[in-house]
C-alpha cells in the first residue's frame, strides 16, 4: 500500500495538532507506519474519532494513558486485528512481546474489553497463565540461582500450551488455565480454567518470540549488556539450561502469524517497571513480590536470558518505549492480508 500525496495532506490537515504535538516521533514517520500496516489514515482517523467507538474505548483506559499509546499503538494494533477478522476465514495467533511492566497486560485488558463491546472475535491471553501448577512449579524452579518462584523459560506447561494452541488453530476454541500471581504469598498458582471461542488470539509474554542463541559462551563474554551484570559462573551455567528450554518454546513461536514487539529503549527500564507492577498488585490484591524477592526476580529478568536476544526479537512490528513508557519510535514491515 502506497499512499498518494492527497491522502497524506488531508490526513495532516484533519489530525488534531494537540495530539500530534504530544508525539515524541516525527509525524511523517507515523504516516509511514500506518501505511506499512495497510491502514488508510483517513479511514483510520474517522473510525477512531466516531463518538460511539470513542465512548467504548474510553471506558477501559487507565486515567493516565497518554495519547501516543492510544493513537500510535492501541488504535493501529486494534485496526490491524479488525482487518484480520474481516480477511481470515481460519483462526490465527499473534505474538506480543515486551519486558515485564512495559504495559502488555494493560493493553491486553483494553483489547479484550473493547473487542467484547464491539462484538469482535479477538482475545488476548498471557503466556503467564500457562505457568505450572504450584506443586509442579516448586520442583521445576528448585535450585535456580535467583531463587525465584517462576518466570523464566521452563516454568510453563509447554505440552498443555502447545496442545491448546493446536486445538485453537484447528477449531477456534481455546481452553486456557488462569494463573493468579497473588496466591501462595506471591509465588502464584492456578486458580482455574477459562474457555473461549474466537478467531484472532494474541499471546503476550516477556520473552515471546525470543530464540535460542547458538553460542552462549561467546555471547556471555561480549560487551552487549547495557549494564555490567557480572554474571556468576552458576548463572552462566544455568543460562545454558534455559537456552535448551527456549528451543522448545521456539516451536510455539512458529504458530504465530505475526509478532509485535513492545521494545524498551534501555533494558534496565524494566527495573522500575517491575517494581511499579508489583506495588500495584500489592495494593490491589494484598500480595506480591517485594524486598529481596522482588530484587531477585528483577535479577532473573536481567540475567536469565541474554539481553541482546530479548532486545532483538525478530518481530514484524516494533514499538519502542522509553523509561516513562512514552513511545519514541515505530517500525513495521510491509503488511499484506
Amino acid at each position: 500500500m502506497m499512499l498518494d500525496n492527497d491522502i497524506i495532506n488531508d490526513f495532516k490537515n484533519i489530525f488534531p495538532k494537540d495530539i500530534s504535538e504530544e508525539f515524541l516521533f516525527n509525524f511523517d514517520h507515523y504516516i509511514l507506519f500506518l501505511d506499512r500496516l495497510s491502514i488508510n489514515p483517513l479511514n483510520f482517523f474517522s473510525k477512531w474519532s466516531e463518538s460511539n467507538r470513542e465512548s467504548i474505548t474510553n471506558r477501559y483506559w487507565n486515567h493516565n494513558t497518554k495519547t501516543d499509546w492510544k493513537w500510535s499503538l492501541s488504535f493501529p494494533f486494534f485496526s490491524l486485528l479488525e482487518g484480520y477478522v474481516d480477511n481470515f476465514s481460519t483462526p490465527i495467533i499473534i505474538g506480543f512481546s515486551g519486558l515485564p511492566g512495559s504495559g502488555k497486560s494493560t493493553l491486553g485488558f483494553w483489547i479484550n474489553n473493547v473487542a467484547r463491546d464491539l462484538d469482535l472475535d479477538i482475545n488476548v491471553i498471557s503466556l503467564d497463565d500457562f505457568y505450572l501448577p504450584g506443586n509442579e512449579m516448586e520442583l521445576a524452579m528448585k535450585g535456580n540461582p535467583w531463587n525465584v518462584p517462576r518466570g523464566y523459560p521452563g516454568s510453563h506447561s509447554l505440552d498443555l500450551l502447545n496442545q491448546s494452541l493446536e486445538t485453537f488453530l484447528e477449531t477456534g476454541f481455546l481452553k486456557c488455565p488462569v494463573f493468579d500471581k497473588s496466591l501462595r504469598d506471591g509465588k502464584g498458582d492456578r486458580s482455574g480454567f477459562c474457555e473461549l471461542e474466537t478467531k484472532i488470539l494474541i499471546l503476550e509474554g516477556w520473552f515471546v518470540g525470543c530464540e535460542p542463541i547458538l553460542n552462549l559462551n561467546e555471547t556471555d563474554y561480549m560487551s552487549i549488556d547495557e549494564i555490567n551484570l557480572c554474571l556468576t559462573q552458576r548463572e552462566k551455567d544455568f543460562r545454558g539450561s534455559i537456552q535448551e528450554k527456549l528451543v522448545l518454546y521456539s516451536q510455539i513461536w512458529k504458530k504465530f502469524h505475526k509478532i509485535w514487539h513492545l521494545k524498551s529503549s534501555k533494558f534496565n527500564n524494566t527495573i522500575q517497571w517491575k517494581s511499579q507492577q508489583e506495588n500495584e498488585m500489592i495494593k490491589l490484591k494484598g500480595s506480591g513480590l517485594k524486598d529481596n524477592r522482588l530484587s531477585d526476580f528483577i535479577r532473573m529478568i536481567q540475567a536469565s536470558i541474554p539481553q541482546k536476544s530479548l532486545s532483538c526479537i525478530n518481530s514484524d512490528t516494533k514499538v519502542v518505549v522509553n523509561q516513562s513508557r512514552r513511545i519514541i519510535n515505530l517500525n513495521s514491515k510491509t503488511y499484506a492480508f
Side-chain angles (χ1 to χ4, degrees):
M1 179 177 176
M2 291 290 293
L3 298 174
D4 62 41
N5 288 332
D6 288 340
I7 292 177
I8 293 173
N9 290 330
D10 287 346
F11 182 58
K12 287 181 176 180
N13 289 330
I14 66 171
F15 197 87
K17 296 293 184 193
D18 61 328
I19 296 178
S20 61
E21 287 174 356
E22 287 193 32
F23 289 170
L24 302 182
F25 44 84
N26 185 280
F27 194 71
D28 285 335
H29 191 69
Y30 177 57
I31 296 173
L32 177 62
F33 178 68
L34 295 177
D35 185 36
R36 289 186 173 224
L37 293 176
S38 304
I39 294 173
N40 181 298
L42 296 177
N43 296 339
F44 170 76
F45 181 75
S46 176
K47 175 193 292 183
W48 291 102
S49 300
E50 195 270 324
S51 58
N52 182 55
R53 179 167 287 223
E54 190 173 27
S55 174
I56 291 172
T57 61
N58 285 341
R59 293 174 198 165
Y60 305 109
W61 295 123
N62 286 341
H63 70 278
N64 58 349
T65 302
K66 302 293 185 183
T67 55
D68 54 353
W69 265 73
K70 297 177 182 180
W71 285 97
S72 55
L73 174 57
S74 305
F75 295 165
F77 187 39
F78 198 94
S79 295
L80 197 70
L81 299 174
E82 288 183 279
Y84 291 147
V85 171
D86 293 337
N87 287 277
F88 282 84
S89 58
T90 57
I92 63 169
I93 305 170
I94 308 298
F96 198 96
S97 187
L99 291 175
S102 59
K104 303 183 305 301
S105 298
T106 300
L107 178 62
F109 172 83
W110 181 84
I111 290 172
N112 274 334
N113 283 284
V114 172
R116 182 198 62 221
D117 287 3
L118 294 175
D119 197 26
L120 291 168
D121 286 335
I122 302 168
N123 280 271
V124 184
I125 62 169
S126 174
L127 182 63
D128 291 356
D129 281 319
F130 285 89
Y131 277 141
L132 293 162
N135 291 337
E136 292 181 41
M137 186 78 83
E138 290 281 357
L139 292 174
M141 298 295 99
K142 191 174 181 180
N144 74 78
W146 311 284
N147 196 33
V148 294
R150 62 177 189 270
Y152 55 81
S155 54
H156 301 87
S157 299
L158 274 186
D159 288 343
L160 176 61
L161 175 60
N162 187 62
Q163 181 182 359
S164 297
L165 295 185
E166 280 293 329
T167 299
F168 168 74
L169 288 173
E170 292 172 4
T171 67
F173 176 82
L174 181 80
K175 185 174 182 180
C176 174
V178 177
F179 194 89
D180 188 338
K181 296 176 183 177
S182 70
L183 298 178
R184 296 194 305 139
D185 192 28
K187 291 182 179 180
D189 204 350
R190 283 189 188 165
S191 59
F193 278 79
C194 72
E195 297 180 353
L196 59 90
E197 190 169 2
T198 191
K199 182 181 285 187
I200 312 301
L201 184 71
I202 300 99
L203 177 66
E204 61 94 350
W206 76 274
F207 61 86
V208 161
C210 185
E211 296 289 349
I213 294 174
L214 295 178
N215 194 336
L216 186 61
N217 289 331
E218 181 179 312
T219 301
D220 281 339
Y221 289 101
M222 293 171 63
S223 299
I224 58 168
D225 292 337
E226 295 176 353
I227 55 177
N228 184 6
L229 290 175
C230 296
L231 295 172
T232 66
Q233 188 58 49
R234 189 168 169 230
E235 285 178 318
K236 291 180 181 179
D237 293 342
F238 203 84
R239 280 177 16 140
S241 67
I242 289 177
Q243 290 296 308
E244 293 174 5
K245 295 288 195 308
L246 269 178
V247 174
L248 302 176
Y249 284 82
S250 66
Q251 301 307 307
I252 301 294
W253 315 153
K254 290 178 181 178
K255 301 180 190 300
F256 298 160
H257 176 69
K258 302 283 185 181
I259 296 179
W260 278 57
H261 185 195
L262 187 59
K263 180 178 178 178
S264 176
S265 60
K266 293 183 179 179
F267 195 93
N268 58 354
N269 288 342
T270 195
I271 298 173
Q272 173 182 306
W273 295 344
K274 184 61 182 175
S275 300
Q276 292 171 340
Q277 187 182 58
E278 292 300 322
N279 286 336
E280 285 299 314
M281 184 176 293
I282 291 171
K283 290 178 184 177
L284 290 172
K285 298 191 174 183
S287 181
L289 300 175
K290 59 183 178 180
D291 302 327
N292 288 341
R293 288 171 64 186
L294 176 58
S295 59
D296 287 344
F297 203 92
I298 290 172
R299 174 69 182 187
M300 180 276 293
I301 295 168
Q302 293 178 298
S304 61
I305 301 174
Q307 295 178 9
K308 180 179 180 180
S309 57
L310 284 166
S311 298
C312 300
I313 288 171
N314 185 22
S315 58
D316 299 278
T317 301
K318 180 171 64 180
V319 177
V320 184
V321 293
N322 63 16
Q323 188 176 41
S324 301
R325 299 188 190 86
R326 295 294 308 279
I327 295 171
I328 60 174
N329 198 7
L330 305 157
N331 188 39
S332 184
K333 300 174 183 176
T334 302
Y335 270 63
F337 290 116

